Amino acid sequence: MDNALAHPASSLPAAPHGAAATAGRLAVMPVRQKLTLGVGIALLAALVAALALWSSRGDWRVLYANLSDKDGGAIIAQLSQMNVPYRHADGGSAILVPADRVHDARLKLASAGLPKGSVVGFELMDNARFGQTQFQERLTFQRGLEGELVRSISALAAVQAARVHLALPNQNGFFREQQKPSASVLLTLHPGRTLERAQIAGIVHLVSSSVPEMSPKAVSVLDASGALLSGPADAGSANGLDAQQLQYVHTLEQGFGKRIVDILEPVVGRDNLRAQVTAEVDFSQTEATSEEFKPNQNGQPQAVRSSQFSESTLGASPTPSGVPGAASNQPPQAAQAPVNGAASPLQAGAGAGAGSARRDAVTNYEVDKTVRVTRAATGTVKRLNAAVVVNHRTSTDPRGKTTSTPLSADELGKIETLVKESIGFNAERGDSVKVINAPFRTDKVDAELPKLPLWQQPQVIDLLRAGAVPAALALVALAVLFGLVRPALKTVLVSPPAALPAPKGQALSAVVDDSHALPGTAGHPATPVLEAPRAQQQLDGARTLARDNPAAVANILRGWVSGDAGG
């Protein structure tokens, strides 16, 4: 052959590229690598799906557990108004909310008075067991009655929670003196709420009317602090001020304080003064009665109220005297010429015989009388004490520097005069007013709390707890990707290096061996010895050789066909 062999491998057909080459490589992969690649891809897909589900689910915490149906419905309605997402758990007895909103939701629900707790009433009688004793039946009835009373009392606007304890003695006909039932009521009021005396009396009447033969005096009502709210009418004066009196004193003190602030704010500026007024109020009730007697005025005659006149005469019969006979049986006549003047009938009768006379006259006159009843008013102010603190005057210079200066004595005197006039200062009553000038502190002094380490702070713990599962899934996914999928794909995706074409007319090997000459090629240059390249390289080289040196390829094929290699 005249031409040297340049690329014998170029005589093979061209290999496919792209997706076809990848598919071919996957087809020729060993079964073990195929299984490894399939398992890795499946695990990776499962981890990605789990991570997506976890991120969409979020971190949910239990808000309240073991709730009754009534409290659960009220809490769900309140959460819907607050736009807080929620879920149910444990058959609806537990409510879940996002972890970052648990504390906020609990505080808001607590301000709304939820959950109220389960209160059972007469529905306990519906679950009566067969064969229960009389004591158990009485106890169930008592529990149901207590629950119904709690429901009724809790319906009041000012009552947040209530508990009722009934003492129902066992009635027995053999006892001569039967013990009367009694009750105790414990009230928990909403913050800032109070009960009036009429409301407390209504609660007492409600409880006493619900139990037969219970007297209102046998009902005790207490508040959350243990103070007795119910009692006789004079219990407030004996033990201190009642709720209404305390409210009156508080309103009175607030009114005086507002007067001081309203009159001084235009002078010293807003937020530059503080005023407090303490009032001593007298709630005692006094009553005085007086009577006055006066003579007639202006010399007027006295008025006769009543007049009584009585006269009585008692005379004795004359004694007969003289010679017995007709003339001696008659009494003698009176003297016709008395020495001292005309004789009165009584004297005439007395001369004739012994006698007596009586005359009585009684006259009652009207007497002036004045009856005065004085009742002192309750809630009168006995004394007022006012304390006022005024801030220093603050001024800013043109450079922007702020300085504070105290007020002068003249200015403080004017302020004190305004305070006295605003509260109605009365020196005879013992009122006192103190005005002090002091600088106000504008910075907020917060209590220094010990700082927790970073790993013990609640927000860091919640963050780590929320990110632990996604981080673990991500680590497992990376391990599957680099441990199973990547090694299997490496043999498929990595393409062989392209063979560099040799110059035209140049042999692939510089080694020439006469013993490797093809048969039938005597007299021609020795055929170059071909090395054993890789399969792809051989194909690429054969294609290049057939394209560049068709004559040399034809001579090689002619020698192979003729079969002269043996000779």
Side-chain angles (χ1 to χ4, degrees):
M1 286 185 295
D2 299 335
N3 298 328
L5 183 61
H7 265 284
S10 301
S11 61
L12 298 178
H17 296 278
T22 303
R25 294 168 186 170
L26 289 175
V28 299
M29 284 179 60
V31 179
R32 184 176 181 180
Q33 291 186 355
K34 290 182 178 179
L35 290 177
T36 303
L37 181 60
V39 171
I41 293 176
L43 290 176
L44 188 61
L47 291 173
V48 171
L51 185 60
L53 290 176
W54 176 263
S55 61
S56 62
R57 176 179 178 271
D59 189 11
W60 294 77
R61 299 286 183 84
V62 176
L63 180 64
Y64 290 110
N66 300 324
L67 292 173
S68 62
D69 295 339
K70 184 177 180 180
D71 285 342
I75 290 176
I76 288 177
Q78 190 68 22
L79 291 177
S80 301
Q81 294 180 0
M82 295 162 51
N83 295 326
V84 177
Y86 60 87
R87 291 183 179 179
H88 302 282
D90 298 337
S93 61
I95 299 177
L96 306 178
V97 296
D100 56 344
R101 306 191 67 176
V102 171
H103 303 291
D104 182 59
R106 284 180 181 174
L107 293 176
K108 291 183 178 179
L109 290 174
S111 64
L114 296 174
K116 296 183 178 179
S118 58
V119 178
V120 292
F122 283 133
E123 59 268 16
L124 288 174
M125 306 298 294
D126 299 335
N127 301 325
R129 296 176 298 175
F130 179 77
Q132 64 179 359
T133 62
Q134 185 180 4
F135 174 75
Q136 293 176 346
E137 185 178 356
R138 288 182 60 255
L139 185 60
T140 303
F141 173 76
Q142 180 176 343
R143 289 182 56 196
L145 183 57
E146 290 176 353
E148 295 295 334
L149 289 175
V150 167
R151 289 176 178 175
S152 301
I153 296 174
S154 300
L156 298 178
V159 178
Q160 183 178 5
R163 294 197 66 182
V164 177
H165 302 278
L166 297 178
L168 304 179
N170 187 13
Q171 302 295 335
N172 194 334
F174 296 99
F175 294 158
R176 179 173 298 177
E177 294 182 0
Q178 300 289 344
Q179 187 178 1
K180 299 299 182 181
S182 59
S184 300
V185 181
L186 178 62
L187 301 178
T188 301
L189 304 180
H190 288 287
R193 300 286 188 89
T194 57
L195 287 177
E196 298 180 357
R197 187 177 297 276
Q199 293 175 320
I200 298 173
I203 295 175
V204 172
H205 185 72
L206 171 67
V207 176
S208 62
S209 301
S210 301
V211 181
E213 298 183 1
M214 179 179 287
S215 173
K217 297 180 180 180
V219 180
S220 301
V221 181
L222 290 81
D223 60 1
S225 62
L228 183 62
L229 301 181
S230 63
D234 56 349
S237 60
N239 301 328
L241 302 180
D242 58 5
Q244 292 182 347
Q245 293 174 350
L246 290 175
Q247 182 67 25
Y248 174 77
V249 174
H250 182 67
T251 305
L252 192 65
E253 292 175 349
Q254 282 188 340
F256 284 121
K258 189 175 183 301
R259 290 182 185 180
I260 297 174
V261 173
D262 290 342
I263 198 171
L264 291 183
E265 268 191 352
V267 179
V268 299
R270 189 175 182 180
D271 297 334
N272 283 329
L273 80 155
R274 298 291 185 271
Q276 292 289 337
V277 178
T278 303
E280 295 183 9
V281 183
D282 184 14
F283 291 99
S284 60
Q285 298 179 359
T286 59
E287 182 175 348
T289 303
S290 62
E291 293 185 3
E292 297 180 359
F293 298 90
K294 298 180 179 179
N296 293 336
Q297 303 295 328
N298 301 325
Q300 296 294 333
Q302 297 179 352
V304 177
R305 180 180 181 181
S306 62
S307 179
Q308 183 179 1
F309 177 81
S310 64
E311 181 177 354
S312 61
T313 303
L314 181 60
S317 61
T319 303
S321 61
V323 179
S328 61
N329 290 336
Q330 295 179 358
Q333 297 295 328
Q336 298 298 325
V339 179
N340 295 329
S344 63
L346 292 177
Q347 292 176 353
S356 65
R358 181 179 180 181
R359 180 181 297 175
D360 296 330
V362 178
T363 304
N364 296 324
Y365 297 93
E366 291 288 353
V367 179
D368 292 342
K369 179 180 179 182
T370 302
V371 179
R372 181 176 292 105
V373 179
T374 304
R375 293 184 178 89
T378 60
T380 57
V381 178
K382 296 175 59 178
R383 185 179 179 183
L384 289 178
N385 299 323
V388 181
V389 180
V390 184
N391 190 16
H392 283 183
R393 181 184 292 106
T394 304
S395 59
T396 305
D397 57 6
R399 297 182 180 180
K401 184 178 180 180
T402 303
T403 58
S404 60
T405 56
L407 301 179
S408 62
D410 188 17
E411 293 175 335
L412 291 178
K414 294 180 180 179
I415 293 176
E416 184 176 354
T417 302
L418 291 177
V419 172
K420 290 181 177 181
E421 294 297 330
S422 62
I423 66 174
F425 181 81
N426 188 356
E428 297 179 356
R429 194 171 52 188
D431 297 349
S432 64
V433 174
K434 299 294 182 182
V435 179
I436 298 176
N437 182 220
F440 287 2
R441 297 190 61 178
T442 57
D443 54 338
K444 296 182 180 179
V445 181
D446 298 332
E448 296 184 0
L449 300 177
K451 294 184 179 180
L452 295 175
L454 183 61
W455 60 88
Q456 294 183 358
Q457 295 182 2
Q459 58 271 19
V460 176
I461 294 176
D462 293 340
L463 181 62
L464 293 177
R465 190 177 299 170
V469 175
L473 294 176
L475 291 177
V476 175
L478 292 176
V480 171
L481 179 62
F482 289 99
L484 297 178
V485 180
R486 186 173 180 274
L489 292 178
K490 186 175 182 181
T491 58
V492 178
L493 299 178
V494 175
S495 59
L500 297 175
K504 188 175 181 180
Q506 182 179 0
L508 290 176
S509 178
V511 181
V512 179
D513 191 358
D514 292 339
S515 61
H516 292 82
L518 294 177
T521 57
H524 293 279
T527 304
V529 179
L530 299 177
E531 298 180 354
R534 297 179 180 178
Q536 188 64 30
Q537 293 179 355
Q538 290 176 356
L539 292 175
D540 294 341
R543 293 189 189 95
T544 306
L545 180 61
R547 184 173 58 253
D548 296 340
N549 298 316
V553 174
N555 291 332
I556 294 174
L557 293 177
R558 189 181 300 111
W560 289 351
V561 173
S562 61
D564 295 338

